Amino acid sequence: MSLAKPGVSLVEHTERVLDYAHSYLDQNKIALKNTNLDPKQISEAILTACAFHDIGKGCVEFSFDKKGFSHSLASAQIAMASLNESPIKNYILQSILGHHGSRFKDSFSSLEFQRQQATPNPELVNEFKEIKDYVKGHFSIELPDLNLQIPSPRELLKRLCNFFFGAPRDRRLYFLIQGILNLADWSASAKKPLSSASIKLDSRPLRTFQAEASTGKDTIILAPTGRGKSLAALVWTKSTGREKSTLFLPTVTTVEAMYKRYTEEVSDKTGLVHGNIAYYLYSNEGYSEDTRDRIFWMKAFDNPFNVATLDQLLLMSLNWGRWEPKIVNIVNSAVIFDEIHASQPYTFGILLESIKMLKAMGTPVCVMSATLPSYMIQKLKEVLDDPVIVRDYEGESLRRITISHLEDVDPVEETKRQYKKGKKAILCFNTVKKATEAFKTLSDKIPDKDIILYHGRFNLEDRERILSRITGDSPPRIIVATQTIEISLDISYDVLITEAAPIDSLTQRFGRVNREGTTPIGEVMIFPQNENSYSVYNKNLVDKSLGLLKARQTPSGLELREMMEDLLTEIENIEEEISAGKASWQFVREMNFQIYSMSIDQRLADDLIRRIPYKTIEVIPAEFRNNNSGKMQKLGKLVKVPVKDVIGRLEKDDDGFIYAPIIYDPSFGYLGPKEDESSIIEGF
C-alpha cells in the first residue's frame, strides 16, 4: 500500500485533499474576468491537480526517511503521461510540480532531478482507480486511467519551460489551481476545519458616515482620525457578503494595534501578518504547542479576519514567496486599505497595479483615510469599479485644535512648562537625533514613570515595551517622539508641541490631540524646522504649510484637507513616480514570466516597493553574539540601523542573524556605531 503520510494511505489522503478543495470551491467568491474558461473547467482542473498531486509517492524510489527523490516531480511526470491534451493541461502540470515547495524559474534544473528515476509500485494502478472512482462518484468528473509510460523529467521540464517562457500566460488560472491545491493539501494533512466567522456589530448607534458605508461595492471612506473608520470598515465588509475580511495597514505598529483590537472586539479568529509574527506572539501571547501552526495559517491569510502590513500584498503581487495560496485567500475576502496616504507616489503606483489584480478577480475593495489627496482619489477611481465616496461631513466640520507658533521658544522648555501645569503632552521631532537629545534633557527633570521616548530605532523587545506603556491604562504624561507617532496610535493628549513639517504629516500629528473632539479644544504648538531635517522634508513645502496654517488658527478637518490640496501644486514628479512604480511592477512580473516565484532575501525586499533615500539593515548588538540566546530572544534584539554605519563590520551566526558593533540603550534606542572597533568579517 502506498502511503502519503506515515500511517495514512495515498488513497485516503488524496480523497481528503479532494474534499477540502471542493469545500474551498464552494466558498469561492472569485469571478475571473476576461477569460475563455468557464468556472466548471477551472474547478475540474483544480480537482484533477489534487487527484494527481501525490501520485509520485506511489513510486518505489519514494521514502519518508531518504531525501533526494522529488515526489512532486514524479507526480507531474505521471500526470503528463495520463492527462488528455487541453489548453489547461500545462497549468495542472506546473501546479503539481510546484505544490511541495520550490517554484522558481530554475527549479528542478539540476542534473540530480533531470536524472531522477520513477518506478511505480505494482499496486499504484489500482490505488489510482479508487481515486478515480471517488472523483466520479463525488464530483461527477471523469479522470483518465493511469498511464505508466512515464516521460523523463527532461521532457516534462522542457514542455513546461517552452510553454511558460514562450508567451505571456494566464497568471490567474495558475494561482487558482496552485493556491487551492496547496490550501487543500495543507488542510488535509493538518485535519483542519475550514475557517469561517460572521461579523457581529455591537448595538451602539452608528454615525451617519458609518451607516452610509454599507454600500456592498467598492468604496472610499474619508473621515478624520478618531471618528470610527474601523467600525465603518466592518459595516462595509458585512454589506459585501464576503465571509472573509483582509485589512492592510502601512506599518507593523498599526497592524499590531489593529490585530489586538480586532481580537478583542471582533473575533478571536483574527490573523496577524507581518515579518515578525513569531516574535509578536511569543512576547504578547506566549509560545504554546499550537503557536507554530497558528503562524503557518496566519501567513497563508487563512483566518476569517486578517490584519496585515501593506508590504505583504505588494510583494505578493510581485510573486514573492509562496504567494499563490495567500492570493487565493485574499481575493476571496473583502479587502480594506487604511492610511495609504502615507505611501510614496512610487509605492502608490505599485499599489494601483495590485488593486487592478484584485479587481480582475472580482474582489470588493474599500479604501479609508483621514488625509487622502485628490490625485490618489482620482487614480483609485480609475482602477476601482465606480466606487462610492463616503465622507464624514460632521467630523470634517469639527475644530478640535488651536494652533500657535513658537518662534523664539525652546520646545523642550515649553514641554516642561506644560508638564508642570499638569498637562499630557507630545513633543514631536522630524529626526531621531533631535528627539533623543530632547528626551535626554527632559528625563533629567521628569520622573521615568511620566516620560518615554518613541522612534523607529528601537529593537523589537523595547518597541513592544514602549507601545504597551503608551497605549496602556497608565500612559506616560510626556511622549517624546518622531513622525512614528503619526499613524494609528489610538491615543489622545492635551498638547502637541511639534517641529514644522508638511501639512499632511502635521495633520496626522494633530490627530493625537483631542482625538475624539469631545473635550475643550486641544493645543498645538509648532516650532521652526531644524536644519538637520531638510533631508527629511523639503523646506519649501514646510514653509508653504506654515503659511497656510498661520492663516487659520483653529482649522476644521475640511480646511486641513483644502490646505493639503493647495500644497500638492508644490510637489514635483507625482505622475512620473506613479508611472515608475507601475513600470517596476510590470518589469518584475515579466522577469518571472508571470507565474514563477521571485527569489530575494527579505532584507532586500523593501527596495522593490519604495524609494529609499538611505539603506538600513536589521542587526543585533555585537555583545549578544555569544550569549546562547534562542531564536525568539534574538528576534527581540533586532534593531534597524543605517547600512553606512556598519558596512564591513558585520557578522552572521548559524541562524542567519546579523551582528554589528553598535551602541544601543533600552531607553534611547540606537545611538550609533562603536567607532573603536573595525573588525571586517569574511564571508559576508
Side-chain angles (χ1 to χ4, degrees):
M1 178 177 69
S2 301
L3 297 179
K5 312 285 177 186
V8 180
S9 73
L10 173 63
V11 173
E12 179 186 353
H13 174 69
T14 303
E15 289 176 353
R16 193 180 293 157
V17 172
L18 286 160
D19 288 339
Y20 273 100
H22 190 257
S23 296
Y24 270 103
L25 289 167
D26 280 347
Q27 291 185 0
N28 180 28
K29 302 287 186 180
I30 298 172
L32 277 181
K33 299 181 179 179
N34 303 319
T35 178
N36 295 323
L37 298 169
D38 62 40
K40 184 173 183 294
Q41 288 176 296
I42 297 171
S43 297
E44 288 184 0
I46 292 167
L47 293 171
T48 299
C50 291
F52 279 91
H53 83 286
D54 266 357
I55 206 72
K57 290 182 177 179
C59 290
V60 173
E61 294 82 1
F62 174 74
S63 170
F64 294 112
D65 301 319
K66 291 193 329 185
K67 303 297 182 184
F69 178 80
S70 170
H71 77 272
S72 58
L73 175 57
S75 297
Q77 290 172 253
I78 296 171
M80 177 177 165
S82 304
L83 294 176
N84 297 323
E85 292 300 325
S86 72
I88 213 166
K89 180 175 177 178
N90 287 325
Y91 294 94
I92 297 172
L93 298 180
Q94 182 64 40
S95 298
I96 295 170
L97 180 66
H99 86 273
H100 205 258
S102 179
R103 29 213 195 221
F104 305 113
K105 287 183 291 187
D106 58 352
S107 295
F108 301 100
S109 60
S110 70
L111 287 176
E112 176 189 4
F113 288 120
Q114 295 196 27
R115 292 171 177 171
Q116 175 175 293
Q117 298 294 314
T119 311
N121 291 321
E123 63 268 24
L124 187 59
V125 170
N126 288 331
E127 288 172 331
F128 187 76
K129 186 177 185 306
E130 289 186 57
I131 295 171
K132 177 181 175 180
D133 291 343
Y134 187 86
V135 171
K136 183 175 182 179
H138 286 74
F139 313 119
S140 301
I141 297 173
E142 188 72 51
L143 293 177
D145 292 329
L146 211 60
N147 181 354
L148 299 183
Q149 300 298 312
I150 305 173
S152 69
R154 188 183 296 272
E155 290 176 273
L156 169 69
L157 297 172
K158 182 178 179 182
R159 172 187 175 123
L160 293 178
C161 287
N162 286 342
F163 181 76
F164 288 108
F165 287 17
R169 301 300 177 182
D170 193 332
R171 179 178 185 271
R172 298 169 301 166
L173 175 60
Y174 163 71
F175 83 66
L176 276 176
I177 301 173
Q178 181 74 83
I180 293 179
L181 169 55
N182 280 146
L183 292 169
D185 189 21
W186 298 340
S187 298
S189 297
K191 298 182 180 178
K192 174 185 175 292
L194 296 183
S195 58
S196 63
S198 58
I199 298 175
K200 296 179 181 179
L201 301 175
D202 57 33
S203 57
R204 59 182 163 174
L206 298 177
R207 289 183 165 132
T208 301
F209 86 95
Q210 291 169 333
E212 290 175 348
S214 181
T215 64
K217 60 175 299 186
D218 290 351
T219 300
I220 298 173
I221 299 174
L222 305 174
T225 55
R227 290 287 295 172
K229 291 192 298 295
S230 298
L231 178 56
L234 290 173
V235 171
W236 173 81
T237 299
K238 191 173 181 68
S239 75
T240 67
R242 294 289 172 117
E243 297 176 0
K244 295 171 70 74
S245 170
T246 302
L247 169 63
F248 290 105
L249 288 153
T251 68
V252 169
T253 300
T254 59
V255 165
E256 290 176 352
M258 192 58 69
Y259 166 74
K260 183 178 180 182
R261 183 173 173 185
Y262 264 46
T263 301
E264 293 172 352
E265 300 178 9
V266 180
S267 172
D268 59 2
K269 296 180 180 179
T270 298
L272 168 72
V273 194
H274 63 58
N276 290 306
I277 308 173
Y279 183 77
Y280 177 86
L281 296 179
Y282 164 78
S283 60
N284 289 273
E285 302 176 13
Y287 214 84
S288 61
E289 289 183 4
D290 69 340
T291 301
R292 187 183 297 272
D293 287 340
R294 287 183 63 207
I295 291 170
F296 179 87
W297 291 108
M298 282 183 177
K299 287 183 175 180
F301 286 78
D302 203 59
N303 290 62
F305 301 94
N306 304 278
V307 186
T309 51
L310 181 61
D311 288 11
Q312 294 288 321
L313 177 68
L314 301 184
L315 289 169
M316 271 185 278
S317 76
L318 294 170
N319 296 12
W320 187 60
R322 192 167 283 188
W323 58 277
E324 304 94 337
K326 299 177 184 182
I327 293 288
V328 166
N329 274 328
I330 291 169
V331 298
N332 260 318
S333 67
V335 174
I336 305 155
F337 296 98
D338 195 7
E339 302 193 1
I340 65 169
H341 61 267
S343 301
Q344 302 169 336
Y346 177 86
T347 305
F348 183 59
I350 297 174
L351 174 60
L352 290 171
E353 294 299 318
S354 301
I355 292 176
K356 284 169 66 176
M357 173 193 73
L358 298 178
K359 294 311 304 174
M361 310 300 288
T363 306
V365 172
C366 175
V367 178
M368 306 190 299
S369 177
T371 56
L372 197 65
S374 59
Y375 81 85
M376 285 190 172
I377 295 174
Q378 183 56 43
K379 295 293 183 183
L380 287 166
K381 285 181 177 180
E382 294 172 8
V383 298
L384 297 176
D385 289 336
D386 189 25
V388 177
I389 308 293
V390 174
R391 290 181 62 172
D392 177 18
Y393 291 103
E394 179 186 6
E396 288 182 339
S397 68
L398 294 176
R399 299 180 185 276
R400 302 190 294 186
I401 57 170
T402 297
I403 299 173
S404 59
H405 298 265
L406 305 179
E407 300 297 341
D408 298 309
V409 178
D410 183 344
V412 173
E413 292 301 318
E414 182 60 37
T415 304
K416 288 182 190 175
R417 280 192 288 273
Q418 295 298 327
Y419 174 75
K420 289 176 181 177
K421 289 165 62 176
K423 300 280 190 176
K424 292 170 56 184
I426 297 171
L427 175 59
C428 186
F429 290 88
N430 296 337
T431 64
V432 173
K433 183 176 185 292
K434 285 295 183 181
T436 303
E437 290 172 356
F439 176 75
K440 285 180 179 178
T441 302
L442 287 168
S443 59
D444 289 339
K445 305 293 184 182
I446 297 174
D448 289 347
K449 68 180 180 63
D450 285 341
I451 186 169
I452 203 162
L453 175 65
Y454 177 48
H455 57 64
R457 298 271 181 87
F458 283 99
N459 65 29
L460 294 177
E461 180 178 280
D462 292 325
R463 184 175 65 84
E464 291 288 339
R465 172 182 55 80
I466 291 166
L467 287 173
S468 293
R469 279 194 63 193
I470 290 175
T471 59
D473 295 332
S474 300
R477 284 175 52 197
I478 303 296
I479 300 175
V480 183
T482 60
Q483 52 269 59
T484 52
I485 204 78
E486 292 176 11
I487 298 177
S488 275
L489 276 180
D490 192 5
I491 57 175
S492 184
Y493 274 57
D494 303 315
V495 180
L496 168 68
I497 303 166
T498 178
E499 183 176 352
I503 187 67
D504 55 337
S505 292
L506 289 175
T507 299
Q508 290 298 314
R509 298 177 196 184
F510 297 164
R512 310 303 150 219
V513 177
N514 191 17
R515 188 169 174 82
E516 299 283 339
T518 56
T519 62
I521 288 178
E523 292 182 77
V524 171
M525 304 175 190
I526 304 176
F527 58 90
Q529 183 183 17
N530 289 294
E531 289 185 9
N532 76 329
S533 75
Y534 290 170
S535 61
V536 180
Y537 296 122
N538 180 281
K539 185 178 184 300
N540 291 332
L541 291 180
V542 173
D543 290 344
K544 177 79 179 288
S545 297
L546 291 179
L548 292 168
L549 287 169
K550 285 177 180 178
R552 291 188 173 100
Q553 188 179 9
T554 57
S556 66
L558 179 60
E559 288 169 344
L560 287 170
R561 282 180 53 81
E562 290 171 347
M563 286 185 243
M564 282 185 276
E565 291 302 317
D566 286 345
L567 199 64
L568 283 178
T569 59
E570 303 292 320
I571 301 176
E572 299 178 352
N573 302 324
I574 289 178
E575 285 290 340
E576 291 87 346
E577 282 294 289
I578 292 174
S579 296
K582 290 180 175 182
S584 294
W585 182 90
Q586 190 62 45
F587 174 76
V588 174
R589 288 276 287 264
E590 290 175 356
M591 283 287 291
N592 291 295
F593 297 97
Q594 301 298 329
I595 71 156
Y596 294 103
S597 294
M598 175 176 62
S599 176
I600 188 171
D601 191 292
Q602 184 168 357
R603 285 186 284 260
L604 303 176
D606 202 42
D607 292 350
L608 287 173
I609 55 176
R610 57 179 53 88
R611 303 283 201 193
I612 303 174
Y614 61 90
K615 307 296 183 187
T616 60
I617 186 170
E618 285 190 318
V619 301
I620 298 174
E623 59 262 32
F624 295 104
R625 176 69 177 89
N626 297 309
N627 70 348
N628 298 317
S629 297
K631 287 186 178 181
M632 288 300 126
Q633 287 79 17
K634 291 178 183 178
L635 280 171
K637 299 298 183 186
L638 284 171
V639 58
K640 189 173 289 187
V641 304
V643 169
K644 65 181 178 60
D645 286 1
V646 295
I647 193 69
R649 309 171 70 192
L650 302 169
E651 183 177 0
K652 186 185 290 186
D653 69 11
D654 293 340
D655 293 323
F657 290 96
I658 298 173
Y659 298 79
I662 63 171
I663 304 170
Y664 183 86
D665 182 275
S667 296
F668 296 98
Y670 172 67
L671 294 171
K674 288 184 177 179
E675 299 296 346
D676 59 338
E677 299 184 35
S678 59
S679 57
I680 298 177
I681 309 302
E682 294 183 3
F684 183 80

